Amino acid sequence: SGKPSALRVIIGILASATSFFIFSNLAVWMGSIIYPHTVAGLSACYVAAIPFYANDLISTALTAGALFGLPALVRSISQTMDETHGDRLA
C-alpha cells in the first residue's frame, strides 16, 4: 500500500537517524586528530556522540511528524468542513 503507516514512519525515523549517526561519526573519526585511529578510538568517538544521537532522533521524529501528520490533519479538516457544509445545503 502506498500510504505511510505509523510503523513505517517509525522505522524510517530510526533508520535515518541511525545511519546518519553511524556514517557521520565514522567520518569524524577518520578525519579527526582528536581520536586515535584504532578500534578504541572509534569506540570513544561513538560513545561521545550518543547524546547527539538522542537529539537527532527527536528532531527527525518532529520533522517526520510534520511531513506526514500535517497532510492527514488537512484531509481531516477538509472532510469535516465538507460534511458540515453538506448538512447546511441539504
Side-chain angles (χ1 to χ4, degrees):
S1 80
K3 294 179 115 180
S5 67
L7 180 60
R8 286 184 180 179
V9 172
I10 291 168
I11 290 170
I13 290 168
L14 291 173
S16 173
T18 302
S19 64
F20 178 76
F21 177 82
I22 290 169
F23 291 120
S24 64
N25 288 298
L26 181 62
V28 167
W29 173 73
M30 290 173 62
S32 174
I33 59 171
I34 297 172
Y35 301 104
H37 291 173
T38 62
V39 173
L42 180 60
S43 297
C45 182
Y46 281 117
V47 168
I50 289 172
F52 300 101
Y53 178 65
N55 292 336
D56 189 32
L57 274 174
I58 292 167
S59 66
T60 303
L62 289 174
T63 302
L67 291 174
F68 291 104
L70 287 177
L73 178 63
V74 168
R75 273 193 306 276
S76 174
I77 291 171
S78 176
Q79 288 173 351
T80 302
M81 290 178 71
D82 288 344
E83 290 170 1
T84 302
H85 291 305
D87 290 345
R88 288 182 186 169
L89 294 175

